[in-house]
Amino acid sequence: NAETSIDQEARQELIEADMAQGQATGVAPEGDELPSEGDELPPEGQETVEAEEGAVSPKTALNGAQVSALKDLVIAVSTGELPKTAAERRRAVRLKAKRLPSSRAALRARSPKEPRGVRAAFAAELKKLIKKISQIVQSEFGLRRDSLFDEGGAFTAASARRVLRRALKRSIVEAESVAEKLPGMIASRINAHSRRSMRSLLGVDLANVPGLDRAFAGFRKENVALIKSIPEKLFEDIGSVLEQGRGLPIAELRKQIDERFRVGRSRADLIARDQTLKLNGQLNATRQRGVGITHYYWSTSKDERVRDAHADLDGRRFAWSDPPVINEAGDTGHPGDDFQCRCVAVPDTSDQLGE
């Protein structure tokens, strides 16, 4: 039945964790049930576990109360019944921390990953908007092509400005439609990525942590403004091209306008990368702080694109309450706060491990 299935899955998860970490939790691999508070366990520090070659080494056992709490936690995670209060979440992380790699190198190896798929999807949607705007411009200028040139075939900027205003109105409507839905969709996907990442690292599903709604609201507000600015920026650039293009042949004007749209597509990539990384960093920080983690290790992407200021921070431990200086301007912040920062915060669980 469902209850037996949950118990078996929970038991299997504990067994696998014990084998991976070499920590005794009172669960016998051949047993039929998860340990309970009433089980007899060896005194603290006296339990032994047989190694592969038959050697015996001392291990630290969990006490009955901890085993019971850990059993409840595993079943809760398996069924989706997650810790609700801050105290329960902190206790969950403390218990799970006993089963995580305790070395700094091992923790850094499991550092949160950049949400590249979400970033690519965000950029693709912004580029669709730019393509639609390009089609609007071509449509408007195509319908009124004859009015853009005088009798001698020379381009007239005044007529072009009138056509441009009509195209801008249509483009703003398109941008507003995208801005209504896209930020929420992207925020949801970044949140799912952050949630999976923290669950993998901490062993606890931190779905509802105070402060997440505030991060989502800030992301939505900023990105609605950025999306609406796309047609405004494009038409400002196109207007400059037209203003300076008096007397130019249509082929040259088209080439210059196409270049403006290319720049617009590059800007879409920048917006998507910066905003995705920023929200991901904020959500990871909120989740870590929400379960009582007070410090983290700064981890860069370790490639040639890492800026010098962030390379200097790599591997160093910082408090969430005391952000380091992150650029030459003297600004302070955490991983993901700086423009297009790909760095991540690897949680320091030493407090939970009692180290």
Side-chain angles (χ1 to χ4, degrees):
N1 58 31
E3 187 175 350
T4 302
S5 174
I6 290 170
D7 250 17
Q8 289 174 343
E9 291 175 7
R11 172 182 168 276
Q12 187 60 34
E13 182 179 343
L14 285 171
I15 291 171
E16 291 173 358
D18 291 341
M19 292 174 68
Q21 298 300 317
Q23 294 179 338
T25 63
V27 179
E30 39 298 353
D32 293 323
E33 299 291 335
L34 282 168
S36 65
E37 195 169 346
D39 287 346
E40 292 185 9
L41 294 173
E44 181 81 17
Q46 292 184 15
E47 181 160 339
T48 61
V49 175
E50 258 189 90
E52 249 182 45
E53 309 234 336
V56 176
S57 58
K59 298 289 178 181
T60 301
L62 298 175
N63 61 39
Q66 289 173 323
V67 168
S68 177
L70 186 53
K71 170 185 172 181
D72 292 342
L73 175 64
V74 170
I75 293 175
V77 171
S78 300
T79 59
E81 296 173 2
L82 309 172
K84 297 296 190 297
T85 68
E88 287 173 342
R89 287 192 295 270
R90 284 192 291 272
R91 183 185 68 165
V93 172
R94 281 198 299 273
L95 291 169
K96 283 286 187 177
K98 289 178 175 290
R99 303 162 61 202
L100 293 174
S102 58
S103 73
R104 295 178 186 177
L107 281 170
R108 280 198 292 275
R110 299 177 60 189
S111 62
K113 307 301 180 186
E114 176 188 345
R116 294 181 181 178
V118 185
R119 184 192 73 194
F122 193 4
E125 291 299 321
L126 295 179
K127 288 176 183 178
K128 283 182 185 178
L129 172 61
I130 292 171
K131 183 177 180 179
K132 181 64 177 178
I133 294 172
S134 174
Q135 291 170 345
I136 290 173
V137 170
Q138 291 175 23
S139 171
E140 289 291 339
F141 277 81
L143 289 172
R144 299 167 177 82
R145 186 178 187 282
D146 293 341
S147 67
L148 301 178
F149 301 88
D150 59 24
E151 293 179 357
F155 171 74
T156 59
S159 296
R161 282 196 295 270
R162 287 194 294 270
V163 176
L164 206 59
R165 281 195 292 270
R166 285 190 288 267
L168 176 57
K169 280 186 178 181
R170 290 176 58 188
S171 298
I172 287 174
V173 172
E174 291 291 335
E176 287 176 345
S177 176
V178 173
E180 184 179 348
K181 299 176 182 178
L182 185 58
M185 181 187 79
I186 294 301
S188 177
R189 292 186 60 179
I190 297 172
N191 180 48
H193 173 89
S194 167
R195 183 176 167 184
R196 286 193 302 269
S197 181
M198 288 297 102
R199 182 172 57 208
S200 172
L201 190 60
L202 299 176
V204 181
D205 193 343
L206 304 174
N208 301 305
V209 176
L212 293 178
D213 288 344
R214 185 166 58 251
F216 295 144
F219 178 84
R220 175 175 173 75
K221 181 178 179 180
E222 185 169 359
N223 281 272
V224 165
L226 285 169
I227 292 169
K228 288 183 177 181
S229 75
I230 288 175
E232 295 171 358
K233 177 62 176 171
L234 277 172
F235 279 89
E236 180 182 329
D237 290 348
I238 294 171
S240 297
V241 169
L242 295 177
E243 195 68 34
Q244 298 167 16
R246 297 173 183 175
L248 288 177
I250 189 65
E252 180 60 27
L253 283 174
R254 184 180 291 116
K255 181 180 177 181
Q256 292 188 22
I257 290 173
D258 286 345
E259 175 62 18
R260 292 299 92 201
F261 279 105
R262 188 195 66 77
V263 172
R265 289 190 293 273
S266 295
R267 182 168 178 255
D269 282 326
L270 294 178
I271 290 173
R273 185 182 300 114
D274 178 60
Q275 292 299 303
T276 299
L277 294 171
K278 189 172 293 183
L279 180 61
N280 188 58
Q282 290 172 352
L283 296 183
N284 288 345
T286 300
R287 286 190 158 95
Q288 290 184 36
R289 299 183 77 169
V291 294
I293 291 173
T294 59
H295 292 74
Y296 66 87
Y297 293 97
W298 190 293
S299 181
T300 69
S301 296
K302 298 174 179 62
D303 58 29
E304 68 281 356
R305 291 190 291 155
V306 175
R307 64 200 82 182
D308 291 342
H310 293 190
D312 291 340
L313 302 175
D314 188 41
R316 293 170 59 187
R317 181 175 181 267
F318 298 101
W320 283 114
S321 60
D322 187 19
V325 174
I326 56 177
N327 55 39
E328 293 179 357
D331 298 323
T332 60
H334 299 295
D337 286 349
D338 211 358
F339 181 67
Q340 296 194 70
C341 174
R342 297 172 297 141
C343 301
V344 293
V346 182
D348 176 11
T349 59
S350 58
D351 290 341
Q352 281 72 26
L353 288 164
E355 295 177 352

